[in-house]
Structures are given as C-alpha cells and as structure tokens.
Amino acid sequence: MSVADLLVIITGVLLRTVFVAFFPHSFVNLTPVCSITLVLAVAATLISVWFTVAFTLDRFLAICYQNVKAKYCTERTATVIMGIVSMVSCLISAPWYFTMSPEYNIDNIPWGCVYKLAFLNLTSWASFELLTFSLMAWFPFFFLLLLNSLTARHIIVSGRVRRGLRGRTAGDNDPEMENRRKSVVLLFCISGSFLLLWSTQVIYVLSERVFGTPYVKGSEFESVGFMLQVLSTCTNTAIYVLTQNKFREQMKRFLRYPIYLIVKLVKKMNAS
C-alpha cells in the first residue's frame, strides 16, 4: 500500500504536475512521455485504491471469520491478490495513452498533452472515463463501506456478548472493549475520509460527462478535485499504519535515536 501511494505521488504529482509546470521544456513534456505518465498515474491510483480494499477485506476476514483466517489471510494469498490487482489496473489504464494529442510541434517534435476531440465528444470515451472513475471511487467506496460496516457490527455484537459474560461493571473497565470501540471509530473514519476526499473529483467528472457542462482542463474545481484525490491515496495507509502499536513504538525509537547518539557523543567527549 505504501509503495502504491508513493507511485501515485511520483507519477501523478511530480511527473504530471511539478515537472510540467516548472520544467516545461524537459523531456517529461514530450507528448509520448506525458501520455505514458498519464497511464502510469491512472494505474498507480487504481492499484493504491484497490490495495486498500484488499487490505480491508483481509482485516474483515481476520476479525469476523477466524476459521478462514489461517487459510486465506496468508502472505502467499496477499502476493497473488496484489499481482492480480496490479495487472488488471495496468490493462484498464492502457487506453488512456490514446486520449492525448500534441499541444504544439517544434521541429516536427510533438510537445505537450491535450485531450483529443474524439475523447471529449464520443460517447464511447465518455463511458470509458466513467468506468475508470467508477473503479477508482464508487466501487471501492461501496466495498469499503460494506466491509467496514460488517466489521464494526461484528465488533459491537461480540462486545455485547463479552460484556454480558463479564458483567456490566467489569465491561465498563475492560481494556479489550476500549480497543474495540477505537476500532469501530477507525473503520468509519476510513470510509468517511475516502468519500469526502473523492467527492469533489466525482462531482467534476459527473458534471462534465453526464450533465454536459464544458470540459475545461485546468479549472480550479478540477485542480482541487485532483489534489484531494491524490491526498485520499495516502490517508488510508497513514490511518492504518499510525494506529498500529508496533509502528508507533518503532517511530518513537526512530525519533529518540538521534538524541541518544548526541547524548552518547557528549558523554564520550566529557569523559575524554
């Protein structure tokens, strides 16, 4: 998940935005190159989103179906699923290469990327764009909301049973129940953040393709939607990772280590 999110930043932000804006005459702005970076950015976004869905499914099975955890929640299964998701995402993203045309030519060399008129006008391309955004936003959100809701329901129901077995007084001071309540909040934060961060981009695409408003590349609304979309590929990984106790402990050790080296160096200097 972290590698996929990093690829989104590299392809979607650095190559397609920063380099094009600040280095307009670099090789990245050649039409074939920027067409390839568009394909890579779409593929990386699909991979990042569906890796999050796959991870959520893995947690759902591990929490709600303990009997299948040992069989399916394994490293081998995760490797196979990641390979399938990556391959399918690349295949779906490949047609985006043919949506671009040169913005201008210098010495018969095509520079810049603008959408072809066929992409803007043909119903087939509009359907393909809506399909891509459905796979990026609508379907993943549905699965995230469904899986997280079922997981939260299982946690709440099992918590009630546990509280009943232990007694109400014991349940109120039960650390396990507190961890389960935090898990429920975490799961709905993931679904909520995904919906909020993708909503601007979804509204933009719907307004352009479904309701027929003018397709204005580079508009402020599109820029905000793109920014939030890129941010959404990072939030879920951060939420999942930062809430893990082992990761927090390793982070504390990482932050304390430079201080430890400085203190050790000072003591050595004083001793000498």
mmCIF file of all heavy atoms in Angstrom, residues 154-178:
data_model
loop_
_atom_site.group_PDB
_atom_site.id
_atom_site.type_symbol
_atom_site.label_atom_id
_atom_site.label_comp_id
_atom_site.label_asym_id
_atom_site.label_seq_id
_atom_site.Cartn_x
_atom_site.Cartn_y
_atom_site.Cartn_z
ATOM 1 N N HIS A 154 -19.770 -6.650 13.708
ATOM 2 C CA HIS A 154 -19.258 -7.843 14.392
ATOM 3 C C HIS A 154 -18.580 -7.448 15.706
ATOM 4 O O HIS A 154 -18.763 -8.119 16.731
ATOM 5 C CB HIS A 154 -18.266 -8.562 13.486
ATOM 6 C CG HIS A 154 -17.598 -9.736 14.131
ATOM 7 N ND1 HIS A 154 -18.185 -10.985 14.191
ATOM 8 C CD2 HIS A 154 -16.389 -9.857 14.766
ATOM 9 C CE1 HIS A 154 -17.380 -11.824 14.822
ATOM 10 N NE2 HIS A 154 -16.280 -11.165 15.179
ATOM 11 N N ILE A 155 -17.814 -6.366 15.680
ATOM 12 C CA ILE A 155 -17.124 -5.911 16.890
ATOM 13 C C ILE A 155 -18.125 -5.501 17.963
ATOM 14 O O ILE A 155 -17.979 -5.841 19.151
ATOM 15 C CB ILE A 155 -16.178 -4.747 16.559
ATOM 16 C CG1 ILE A 155 -15.027 -5.242 15.684
ATOM 17 C CG2 ILE A 155 -15.627 -4.103 17.828
ATOM 18 C CD1 ILE A 155 -14.123 -4.141 15.172
ATOM 19 N N ILE A 156 -19.182 -4.789 17.558
ATOM 20 C CA ILE A 156 -20.189 -4.328 18.522
ATOM 21 C C ILE A 156 -20.950 -5.507 19.124
ATOM 22 O O ILE A 156 -21.153 -5.584 20.343
ATOM 23 C CB ILE A 156 -21.158 -3.345 17.843
ATOM 24 C CG1 ILE A 156 -20.410 -2.051 17.473
ATOM 25 C CG2 ILE A 156 -22.336 -3.020 18.755
ATOM 26 C CD1 ILE A 156 -21.233 -1.098 16.636
ATOM 27 N N VAL A 157 -21.368 -6.448 18.260
ATOM 28 C CA VAL A 157 -22.125 -7.613 18.747
ATOM 29 C C VAL A 157 -21.270 -8.469 19.666
ATOM 30 O O VAL A 157 -21.713 -8.881 20.752
ATOM 31 C CB VAL A 157 -22.647 -8.441 17.559
ATOM 32 C CG1 VAL A 157 -23.258 -9.755 18.047
ATOM 33 C CG2 VAL A 157 -23.689 -7.655 16.773
ATOM 34 N N SER A 158 -20.034 -8.752 19.247
ATOM 35 C CA SER A 158 -19.165 -9.569 20.093
ATOM 36 C C SER A 158 -18.830 -8.834 21.389
ATOM 37 O O SER A 158 -18.662 -9.462 22.444
ATOM 38 C CB SER A 158 -17.875 -9.909 19.336
ATOM 39 O OG SER A 158 -17.170 -8.734 18.981
ATOM 40 N N GLY A 159 -18.779 -7.502 21.342
ATOM 41 C CA GLY A 159 -18.546 -6.727 22.555
ATOM 42 C C GLY A 159 -19.692 -6.842 23.535
ATOM 43 O O GLY A 159 -19.484 -6.922 24.753
ATOM 44 N N ARG A 160 -20.922 -6.840 23.016
ATOM 45 C CA ARG A 160 -22.089 -7.009 23.884
ATOM 46 C C ARG A 160 -22.083 -8.378 24.551
ATOM 47 O O ARG A 160 -22.388 -8.507 25.744
ATOM 48 C CB ARG A 160 -23.364 -6.827 23.074
ATOM 49 C CG ARG A 160 -23.622 -5.389 22.616
ATOM 50 C CD ARG A 160 -24.831 -5.332 21.714
ATOM 51 N NE ARG A 160 -25.088 -3.969 21.251
ATOM 52 C CZ ARG A 160 -25.990 -3.649 20.330
ATOM 53 N NH1 ARG A 160 -26.724 -4.610 19.768
ATOM 54 N NH2 ARG A 160 -26.148 -2.386 19.972
ATOM 55 N N VAL A 161 -21.717 -9.387 23.762
ATOM 56 C CA VAL A 161 -21.648 -10.744 24.340
ATOM 57 C C VAL A 161 -20.575 -10.808 25.413
ATOM 58 O O VAL A 161 -20.786 -11.368 26.497
ATOM 59 C CB VAL A 161 -21.369 -11.775 23.220
ATOM 60 C CG1 VAL A 161 -21.144 -13.157 23.827
ATOM 61 C CG2 VAL A 161 -22.510 -11.800 22.222
ATOM 62 N N ARG A 162 -19.441 -10.221 25.150
ATOM 63 C CA ARG A 162 -18.338 -10.226 26.121
ATOM 64 C C ARG A 162 -18.740 -9.484 27.384
ATOM 65 O O ARG A 162 -18.455 -9.920 28.494
ATOM 66 C CB ARG A 162 -17.109 -9.577 25.486
ATOM 67 C CG ARG A 162 -15.896 -9.473 26.398
ATOM 68 C CD ARG A 162 -14.761 -8.742 25.696
ATOM 69 N NE ARG A 162 -13.623 -8.568 26.566
ATOM 70 C CZ ARG A 162 -12.641 -9.444 26.704
ATOM 71 N NH1 ARG A 162 -12.666 -10.567 26.016
ATOM 72 N NH2 ARG A 162 -11.623 -9.206 27.525
ATOM 73 N N ARG A 163 -19.431 -8.321 27.182
ATOM 74 C CA ARG A 163 -19.854 -7.541 28.339
ATOM 75 C C ARG A 163 -20.876 -8.311 29.173
ATOM 76 O O ARG A 163 -20.876 -8.248 30.399
ATOM 77 C CB ARG A 163 -20.440 -6.205 27.868
ATOM 78 C CG ARG A 163 -20.682 -5.215 28.991
ATOM 79 C CD ARG A 163 -20.849 -3.795 28.459
ATOM 80 N NE ARG A 163 -21.797 -3.740 27.370
ATOM 81 C CZ ARG A 163 -21.501 -3.377 26.120
ATOM 82 N NH1 ARG A 163 -20.264 -3.082 25.814
ATOM 83 N NH2 ARG A 163 -22.427 -3.326 25.187
ATOM 84 N N GLY A 164 -21.747 -9.064 28.476
ATOM 85 C CA GLY A 164 -22.728 -9.854 29.199
ATOM 86 C C GLY A 164 -22.105 -10.984 30.002
ATOM 87 O O GLY A 164 -22.550 -11.292 31.107
ATOM 88 N N LEU A 165 -21.059 -11.592 29.432
ATOM 89 C CA LEU A 165 -20.398 -12.689 30.132
ATOM 90 C C LEU A 165 -19.575 -12.191 31.316
ATOM 91 O O LEU A 165 -19.515 -12.843 32.366
ATOM 92 C CB LEU A 165 -19.492 -13.457 29.162
ATOM 93 C CG LEU A 165 -20.203 -14.230 28.039
ATOM 94 C CD1 LEU A 165 -19.195 -14.832 27.075
ATOM 95 C CD2 LEU A 165 -21.095 -15.321 28.621
ATOM 96 N N ARG A 166 -18.953 -11.023 31.177
ATOM 97 C CA ARG A 166 -18.104 -10.495 32.234
ATOM 98 C C ARG A 166 -18.882 -9.710 33.276
ATOM 99 O O ARG A 166 -18.395 -9.492 34.381
ATOM 100 C CB ARG A 166 -17.027 -9.575 31.633
ATOM 101 C CG ARG A 166 -15.982 -10.321 30.819
ATOM 102 C CD ARG A 166 -15.071 -9.322 30.119
ATOM 103 N NE ARG A 166 -14.434 -8.436 31.066
ATOM 104 C CZ ARG A 166 -13.270 -8.667 31.660
ATOM 105 N NH1 ARG A 166 -12.620 -9.804 31.389
ATOM 106 N NH2 ARG A 166 -12.744 -7.804 32.504
ATOM 107 N N GLY A 167 -20.073 -9.277 32.916
ATOM 108 C CA GLY A 167 -20.839 -8.429 33.822
ATOM 109 C C GLY A 167 -20.668 -6.986 33.443
ATOM 110 O O GLY A 167 -19.620 -6.577 32.932
ATOM 111 N N ARG A 168 -21.674 -6.171 33.645
ATOM 112 C CA ARG A 168 -21.657 -4.773 33.191
ATOM 113 C C ARG A 168 -20.528 -3.974 33.839
ATOM 114 O O ARG A 168 -19.839 -3.192 33.191
ATOM 115 C CB ARG A 168 -23.012 -4.119 33.506
ATOM 116 C CG ARG A 168 -23.100 -2.697 32.969
ATOM 117 C CD ARG A 168 -24.494 -2.144 33.096
ATOM 118 N NE ARG A 168 -24.569 -0.811 32.503
ATOM 119 C CZ ARG A 168 -24.699 -0.568 31.220
ATOM 120 N NH1 ARG A 168 -24.740 -1.584 30.378
ATOM 121 N NH2 ARG A 168 -24.773 0.670 30.773
ATOM 122 N N THR A 169 -20.307 -4.178 35.147
ATOM 123 C CA THR A 169 -19.274 -3.394 35.835
ATOM 124 C C THR A 169 -17.900 -3.701 35.297
ATOM 125 O O THR A 169 -17.090 -2.803 35.031
ATOM 126 C CB THR A 169 -19.306 -3.690 37.353
ATOM 127 O OG1 THR A 169 -20.609 -3.398 37.842
ATOM 128 C CG2 THR A 169 -18.279 -2.836 38.071
ATOM 129 N N ALA A 170 -17.644 -4.986 35.075
ATOM 130 C CA ALA A 170 -16.344 -5.380 34.534
ATOM 131 C C ALA A 170 -16.180 -4.896 33.106
ATOM 132 O O ALA A 170 -15.107 -4.498 32.677
ATOM 133 C CB ALA A 170 -16.184 -6.907 34.595
ATOM 134 N N GLY A 171 -17.313 -4.914 32.344
ATOM 135 C CA GLY A 171 -17.238 -4.493 30.946
ATOM 136 C C GLY A 171 -16.924 -3.042 30.785
ATOM 137 O O GLY A 171 -16.281 -2.628 29.824
ATOM 138 N N ASP A 172 -17.372 -2.201 31.722
ATOM 139 C CA ASP A 172 -17.112 -0.770 31.604
ATOM 140 C C ASP A 172 -15.635 -0.441 31.734
ATOM 141 O O ASP A 172 -15.174 0.572 31.235
ATOM 142 C CB ASP A 172 -17.905 -0.008 32.674
ATOM 143 C CG ASP A 172 -19.400 -0.054 32.396
ATOM 144 O OD1 ASP A 172 -19.757 -0.298 31.221
ATOM 145 O OD2 ASP A 172 -20.191 0.136 33.341
ATOM 146 N N ASN A 173 -14.865 -1.315 32.430
ATOM 147 C CA ASN A 173 -13.436 -1.078 32.634
ATOM 148 C C ASN A 173 -12.593 -2.081 31.858
ATOM 149 O O ASN A 173 -11.452 -2.336 32.223
ATOM 150 C CB ASN A 173 -13.109 -1.175 34.124
ATOM 151 C CG ASN A 173 -13.869 -0.133 34.943
ATOM 152 O OD1 ASN A 173 -13.952 1.023 34.550
ATOM 153 N ND2 ASN A 173 -14.434 -0.555 36.069
ATOM 154 N N ASP A 174 -13.155 -2.640 30.818
ATOM 155 C CA ASP A 174 -12.476 -3.672 30.051
ATOM 156 C C ASP A 174 -11.591 -3.023 28.983
ATOM 157 O O ASP A 174 -12.101 -2.347 28.082
ATOM 158 C CB ASP A 174 -13.518 -4.584 29.398
ATOM 159 C CG ASP A 174 -12.867 -5.794 28.745
ATOM 160 O OD1 ASP A 174 -11.625 -5.897 28.780
ATOM 161 O OD2 ASP A 174 -13.601 -6.625 28.200
ATOM 162 N N PRO A 175 -10.261 -3.195 29.032
ATOM 163 C CA PRO A 175 -9.386 -2.613 28.003
ATOM 164 C C PRO A 175 -9.694 -3.154 26.614
ATOM 165 O O PRO A 175 -9.557 -2.441 25.623
ATOM 166 C CB PRO A 175 -7.982 -3.016 28.460
ATOM 167 C CG PRO A 175 -8.118 -3.334 29.913
ATOM 168 C CD PRO A 175 -9.501 -3.873 30.090
ATOM 169 N N GLU A 176 -10.108 -4.425 26.531
ATOM 170 C CA GLU A 176 -10.436 -5.003 25.237
ATOM 171 C C GLU A 176 -11.616 -4.302 24.600
ATOM 172 O O GLU A 176 -11.635 -4.040 23.390
ATOM 173 C CB GLU A 176 -10.744 -6.495 25.409
ATOM 174 C CG GLU A 176 -11.116 -7.211 24.120
ATOM 175 C CD GLU A 176 -9.964 -7.252 23.127
ATOM 176 O OE1 GLU A 176 -8.803 -7.128 23.556
ATOM 177 O OE2 GLU A 176 -10.247 -7.417 21.933
ATOM 178 N N MET A 177 -12.622 -3.945 25.408
ATOM 179 C CA MET A 177 -13.781 -3.230 24.891
ATOM 180 C C MET A 177 -13.378 -1.833 24.406
ATOM 181 O O MET A 177 -13.899 -1.342 23.402
ATOM 182 C CB MET A 177 -14.855 -3.124 25.971
ATOM 183 C CG MET A 177 -15.501 -4.448 26.330
ATOM 184 S SD MET A 177 -16.285 -5.227 24.914
ATOM 185 C CE MET A 177 -17.426 -3.953 24.416
ATOM 186 N N GLU A 178 -12.463 -1.208 25.102
ATOM 187 C CA GLU A 178 -11.999 0.116 24.674
ATOM 188 C C GLU A 178 -11.277 0.028 23.334
ATOM 189 O O GLU A 178 -11.456 0.882 22.460
ATOM 190 C CB GLU A 178 -11.056 0.689 25.744
ATOM 191 C CG GLU A 178 -10.551 2.089 25.433
ATOM 192 C CD GLU A 178 -11.658 3.121 25.380
ATOM 193 O OE1 GLU A 178 -12.713 2.912 26.014
ATOM 194 O OE2 GLU A 178 -11.471 4.127 24.664
#
